[in-house]
Amino acid sequence: MKNDTWGRVKQQLLESVGRNNYANWIEPLELKKVDNGVAVFSVPTSFMANWVSRNFSETILIHLKAANAPASRVEFRVEPHQTASAAEAPESKPLSKAAAPASQKPAEPQVQDAPADDLPGAPLDSRFTFDNFVVGKPNELAHAAARRVAEGGPVTFNPLFLYGGVGLGKTHLMHAIAHEIRDRDPSLRVLYLSAEQFMYRFVQALRDRQMIDFKQIFRSVDVLMVDDVQFIAGKDSTQEEFFHTFNALVDQNKQIIISADRAPGEIQGLEDRIKSRLQCGLVVDLHPTDYELRLGVLQTKAESYRAQYPELKFADGVLEFLAHRISTNVRVLEGALMRLFAFASLVGREIDLDLTQECLADILKASERKVTVEEIQRKVSEHYAIRLSDMIGPKRVRSIARPRQVAMYLAKHMTTRSLPEIGRRFGGRDHTTVMHGVKRIEELKGTDSQIADDLEMLRRTLEA
Ligand code: ADP
Ligand code: MG
């Protein structure tokens, strides 16, 4: 079977299993071959092999058949993909023989609202509501702006432009606005779609000679939301049409909400007149998540999973560990949690640190902190206005020793370096010196609010 057949089958699977399941379970699969009625896949972990085999084998077989690549069973080989460490090297063994019936569906089925009446919009995810959105420092402004727009009333900023990195909640906030506006006044015509879909509709209208209809529809909405607008950068005629649609709606005082992965001015290949139009309204960004926000999200999600799996228990410290170790992208965080629950319910064990590390080895590895001891030393020296050479040098006066201990503490908590390794990077100090320094800062953190603030500040800048 050709690669592009699997590509097409994956598209079908995306539709049938939903975006979350797809990202967690289907996307990582690699089809090796279909041979003698056996479809052989490589998967990064044995856990994943088990889960996919139990829950998706049948669906995969159905879609393979529909794509003219029939197989009667699927087989999984565990081959750590590039993110896995060399230590887990290529032991490759068939894990699953039979295509087990999909008895138990994984958590979080995708429930979607149909788009309003005749509008060519994308469906809204019913879970993306304001109630389900966890607010923290990094997203409070974006959240407040979204709330304001969702309240309706006079259009005060047009457009609202939300931007930020992947998985930080842009789409979630846009759907939340759409839900809220529709709930408040079902007669309002709210059109939500991605920029990619906008382009697709536009091309289709051109081809079918229905540009008049196209223009009419897009100019008749009360609220237009276009997600991931960076997609139309460099696509000239789509941009042109978007620009006219945009202007027509602004002239009618209709609300427009746009998202992108970066600020308007930074989108390469976007016409200047569009950039400046986009900058006319309110531009707010979603910052990378911080520890507290991640923990908040994890707690909220874990709570909702617990309703589904009342028998599952978390050991203390697991959520904190995840909030610490998994990077800023909330989608990755959610995926990790979902997998943990699935795994724990499969093996019927309490979710403790061991199980977490075993089950999430690949994710943890992939989002390993890139912060280095040297970076920490540099930032801490800057923060306390001391020389980097003093930080690693022999001086023992308090004004230098304290920052040094702060740096040791951060190195211990933000890197995977061992105490002796850290000691070596601090001018060849002994590991007991490092241990003492870390301990000292741990004590001070509780009693000295200045130190606590410094640590927080430094951690934030280093994580950013
Ligand atoms: P983006 O569009 O910015 O790439 P999404 O809006 O698709 O990100 O968010 C990715 C996932 O993370 C979604 O499942 C979303 O519900 C979740 N998510 C993001 N931010 C939050 C938050 N603050 N509270 C709860 N869930 C969040
Ligand atoms: Mg998005």
Side-chain angles (χ1 to χ4, degrees):
M1 174 160 96
K2 295 203 198 76
N3 262 340
D4 53 29
T5 314
W6 175 233
R8 260 184 291 126
V9 171
K10 276 167 96 174
Q11 274 308 311
Q12 300 295 321
L13 284 164
L14 169 61
E15 279 172 32
S16 87
V17 303
R19 193 162 52 92
N20 268 342
N21 281 328
Y22 178 85
N24 284 310
W25 310 111
I26 306 295
E27 178 83 299
L29 300 180
E30 266 173 38
L31 181 66
K32 307 293 265 193
K33 57 180 178 188
V34 180
D35 201 8
N36 275 330
V38 185
V40 181
F41 291 91
S42 104
V43 288
T45 63
S46 60
F47 164 66
M48 183 169 264
N50 276 319
W51 184 259
V52 175
S53 151
R54 269 176 79 131
N55 293 287
F56 298 111
S57 296
E58 232 173 19
T59 320
I60 293 174
L61 290 174
I62 291 170
H63 286 294
L64 282 174
K65 185 153 179 233
N68 271 330
S72 54
R73 63 190 175 86
V74 286
E75 194 172 288
F76 296 97
R77 300 212 171 134
V78 181
E79 288 172 359
H81 294 173
Q82 58 281 22
T83 53
S85 76
E88 303 168 283
E91 132 254 31
S92 160
K93 55 180 181 205
L95 259 156
S96 146
K97 291 257 151 34
S103 53
Q104 191 191 0
K105 278 269 167 282
E108 292 218 56
Q110 288 263 308
V111 192
Q112 304 196 317
D113 289 356
D117 49 61
D118 56 330
L119 292 178
L124 297 178
D125 192 313
S126 63
R127 292 166 306 150
F128 290 0
T129 60
F130 282 120
D131 282 348
N132 289 339
F133 191 81
V134 181
V135 184
K137 264 253 165 309
N139 61 21
E140 64 178 339
L141 222 65
H143 172 259
R147 277 266 189 207
R148 171 65 65 79
V149 166
E151 275 165 14
V155 174
T156 41
F157 25 75
N158 213 7
L160 169 63
F161 189 98
L162 298 169
Y163 77 93
V166 280
L168 298 183
K170 301 182 294 294
T171 299
H172 189 133
L173 278 180
M174 289 181 100
H175 286 210
I177 297 173
H179 285 305
E180 184 98 357
I181 295 179
R182 279 185 190 170
D183 286 352
R184 175 159 302 122
D185 185 353
S187 72
L188 285 179
R189 292 163 64 77
V190 181
L191 177 54
Y192 165 87
L193 81 179
S194 67
E196 186 176 5
Q197 286 162 330
F198 180 86
M199 184 187 83
Y200 177 72
R201 309 265 178 245
F202 170 64
V203 171
Q204 198 175 32
L206 277 180
R207 192 190 57 207
D208 300 344
R209 296 172 205 282
Q210 289 181 333
M211 271 315 289
I212 305 216
D213 289 353
F214 177 91
K215 284 179 191 290
Q216 233 162 25
I217 290 175
F218 276 90
R219 285 158 177 66
S220 73
V221 302
D222 297 299
V223 180
L224 174 67
M225 311 176 120
V226 181
D227 206 348
D228 288 321
V229 79
Q230 74 277 357
F231 182 85
I232 60 167
K235 307 196 166 79
D236 294 342
S237 37
T238 304
Q239 279 191 44
E240 174 89 23
E241 186 55 36
F242 175 75
F243 182 66
H244 293 311
T245 307
F246 188 101
N247 288 338
L249 289 172
V250 170
D251 287 347
Q252 298 173 59
N253 215 14
K254 306 292 191 191
Q255 180 73 55
I256 299 177
I257 301 147
I258 307 281
S259 85
D261 63 355
R262 64 201 78 173
E266 286 163 20
I267 305 177
Q268 304 261 317
L270 197 64
E271 283 180 44
D272 287 341
R273 55 180 186 166
I274 299 186
K275 283 184 192 168
S276 68
R277 266 294 188 174
L278 292 175
Q279 278 156 341
C280 280
L282 179 66
V283 178
V284 276
D285 58 340
L286 291 131
H287 295 273
T289 58
D290 57 14
Y291 174 78
E292 291 84 351
L293 179 58
R294 288 196 290 276
L295 190 60
V297 168
L298 285 166
Q299 283 165 342
T300 313
K301 306 261 170 200
E303 208 47 57
S304 70
Y305 276 115
R306 233 170 312 204
Q308 251 178 317
Y309 302 96
E311 74 283 9
L312 286 185
K313 294 216 178 0
F314 269 106
D316 283 347
V318 169
L319 294 183
E320 287 78 5
F321 170 78
L322 290 178
H324 226 59
R325 286 289 304 276
I326 296 186
S327 69
T328 62
N329 182 330
V330 180
R331 191 175 296 132
V332 175
L333 215 57
E334 280 184 337
L337 200 61
M338 181 165 156
R339 202 202 281 179
L340 259 188
F341 268 100
F343 190 29
S345 75
L346 216 66
V347 298
R349 261 163 59 193
E350 185 196 42
I351 304 178
D352 57 13
L353 277 178
D354 282 348
L355 183 139
T356 304
Q357 275 168 331
E358 179 186 345
C359 170
L360 301 179
D362 56 334
I363 297 181
L364 290 171
K365 180 96 190 151
S367 61
E368 212 157 72
R369 268 223 171 75
K370 309 281 183 321
V371 181
T372 62
V373 177
E374 289 70 22
E375 245 174 291
I376 293 174
Q377 291 171 332
R378 202 162 352 101
K379 280 272 182 283
V380 174
S381 312
E382 275 168 26
H383 182 80
Y384 291 104
I386 64 169
R387 268 199 287 270
L388 189 56
S389 54
D390 282 341
M391 160 85 51
I392 6 193
K395 286 192 190 155
R396 299 175 68 167
V397 287
R398 167 79 61 87
S399 60
I400 289 171
R402 189 69 83 225
R404 187 183 294 134
Q405 291 175 329
V406 166
M408 287 174 173
Y409 171 91
L410 289 170
K412 172 75 179 58
H413 285 89
M414 297 187 73
T415 73
T416 50
R417 298 275 172 219
S418 65
L419 294 177
E421 282 173 323
I422 295 174
R424 238 170 288 145
R425 286 172 171 71
F426 280 85
R429 286 179 160 79
D430 193 65
H431 78 275
T432 53
T433 311
V434 180
M435 198 154 62
H436 170 76
V438 173
K439 272 229 186 75
R440 187 79 193 101
I441 298 300
E442 250 151 28
E443 288 160 12
L444 285 174
K445 206 167 71 148
T447 54
D448 183 337
S449 65
Q450 181 60 49
I451 290 271
D453 287 351
D454 288 352
L455 288 173
E456 183 55 26
M457 237 284 287
L458 285 162
R459 186 191 282 284
R460 264 181 221 285
T461 36
L462 284 162
E463 272 176 356

